[in-house]
Amino acid sequence: MSHPITTDDSLFFNYGDVKYTAWPTSFIDVLPEAEDDGPVAILPTQDVVNADWLKEFFDGSLDDVSRHEFAKGILLQPNGTAANFSSEAKALLKSWGNSWIKTLAVTVPPGPYFYKDNTLWQVLRLFDDHQGAFLVSLRPADDGAYALLNDGSHGWSCNSLAVLSRLTVKDCPEKPFAKWRIAVKDAFDVKGVKISMCNKAYLEVYPPATSTARSIIHILNGGASVLGKTKLNSFLSREEASESVDYQAAWNPRADGYQTTGASSSGSAAAVAAYEWIDVGIGTDTNGSIRRPAQCNGVFGLRPSQGVFPQDGMFTAFKTFDVPGIFARDLDKLASFATKWYGDRLPNESAEHLPPRILLPIDLLPEDETPQKSVVLDFLKDFETHMGINADRVSLSALWAENPPKEADGQTMHEYLEKVGRDTFLYANYHSTAAFRDQYLHLHGRQPFVSKFVRWRWSVGSKISKRRARGSNATYEGL
């Protein structure tokens, strides 16, 4: 074990190449007589402690934090059973360097701890962010706030993420997210932490958030471990990796490691794809920022319907479309998390009485025979076989021509809708950051630096009038 280093009320130490941090807890004077400082493990109440049970507890099969070095001191719950250790268990503990077994004065959640001055410090394992998916590591602070994990060398520059032992947490009705480890896109307010939108000028202008975004506060209050804030394409743009300037883009763990990580929620998707010690990544989606990173990084993504979750405390570029969303490696885990997250908002209407139907909008397919078209049609064929029905080929352009809206004034669907998506989005995108640009100009007498792609978006958006953005047939929120 390395010599523990204390920094900002934290301990940092390692066993070989495995790094740890420890934070003080409220559990003080835990033993009638103090023992030497060092690593300890608190065991759950067991009728009999045998060698096989100890191996499972310490060998990593139940947890990715605990290891046998924490068996130096063994602490039992107040109703523990020190006399019921089998002879094989005692021999195994001795081989691991155990020097004492004591009973606690109070009940404490099981798992690895650091014993210091008769006080228990919570142990967390530090996992390196070798994919560069995170901007900053977080740790809980007071009053529901969070602070940067400070190892004495890194501030707003992520290096490692602190992960709590799964042995220590347990789901319960009051804490339904207690076992979930999550990564949060740096487009959400987290109390006590600044927001950057992956732009250094934006990070400089605004102070730490005074509250946490409403769409994720339920998750945090429900006991989830927030490991850190993840990278994104700046200002929710669609930059590719080579266009990221202020902060290097996350690396995609798939294929040769140089594939794109997708759209603006790329950091959360890359983190989930790369690290088994993360359960869920939280991002946002405007017009593909959950769906595209999920595809590119090989994970599952869920974009909830508009209006299910509030936007308060979430950066929005186009309020009409912006929603929070989630990533997971496992579909069952995605569904489980989503069910808890939705809560009472989860629709309970059954669609079993509705006849199944598959629609294929043929307008979206190229006229030529391309490899992409073949993939889509092959998938459709398999889907038809699985569902036992044939897809209906539908021409949206033909339906429009049969019954055009009067506002179209004789225009085809393509002519009428050609620029409506672009104009409404880029107008809203430009004006959503107006306050930031004005404040930065006031502070520095110049416009903030942004990437070439963001600058192009703002330039186009600045030339679109409100009347043109709204059009004659629709009203868009925020326009």
Side-chain angles (χ1 to χ4, degrees), residues 184-196:
V184 177
K185 180 179 180 177
D186 192 33
F188 292 92
D189 284 342
V190 173
K191 185 177 179 180
V193 183
K194 300 185 76 172
I195 187 171
S196 76

Side-chain angles (χ1 to χ4, degrees), residues 6 15 63 89 111 166 216 240 296 315 329 333 349 383 406 431:
T6 304
Y15 290 110
D63 181 47
R166 296 193 188 276
I216 62 172
E240 292 300 332
C296 292
F315 184 95
R329 290 180 303 279
K333 186 168 285 189
E349 298 89 352
F383 193 38
K406 63 180 181 179
H431 288 280

Side-chain angles (χ1 to χ4, degrees), residues 336-385:
S336 175
F337 186 90
T339 300
K340 295 174 186 287
W341 189 27
Y342 273 73
D344 295 339
R345 292 181 292 263
L346 187 66
N348 57 12
E349 298 89 352
S350 173
E352 293 179 0
H353 64 285
L354 299 176
R357 190 179 180 192
I358 303 172
L359 299 179
L360 176 67
I362 59 176
D363 313 70
L364 304 181
L365 294 176
E367 294 182 0
D368 297 333
E369 298 300 320
T370 65
Q372 294 87 347
K373 182 177 179 179
S374 297
V375 169
V376 171
L377 294 179
D378 287 344
F379 170 79
L380 177 64
K381 184 178 180 180
D382 290 342
F383 193 38
E384 288 175 318
T385 301

Side-chain angles (χ1 to χ4, degrees), residues 207-266:
T210 57
S211 61
T212 296
R214 284 182 59 200
S215 57
I216 62 172
I217 189 64
H218 170 63
I219 300 170
L220 276 55
N221 289 342
S225 295
V226 182
L227 306 186
K229 301 188 81 176
T230 55
K231 293 176 181 175
L232 61 147
N233 296 159
S234 61
F235 297 106
L236 310 186
S237 66
R238 204 162 182 166
E239 299 165 334
E240 292 300 332
S242 60
E243 297 173 301
S244 300
V245 178
D246 284 354
Y247 299 96
Q248 186 181 37
W251 295 88
N252 190 329
R254 301 181 72 197
D256 62 357
Y258 286 88
Q259 306 302 305
T260 179
T261 45
S264 75
S265 299
S266 52

Side-chain angles (χ1 to χ4, degrees), residues 1-2 4 43 53 73 94 124 130 134 183 224 244-245 272 354-355 398 430:
M1 175 183 178
S2 65
L43 304 186
W53 185 90
K94 185 177 180 180
L124 301 94
H130 53 77
F134 286 84
S244 300
V245 178
V272 168
L354 299 176
Y430 172 71

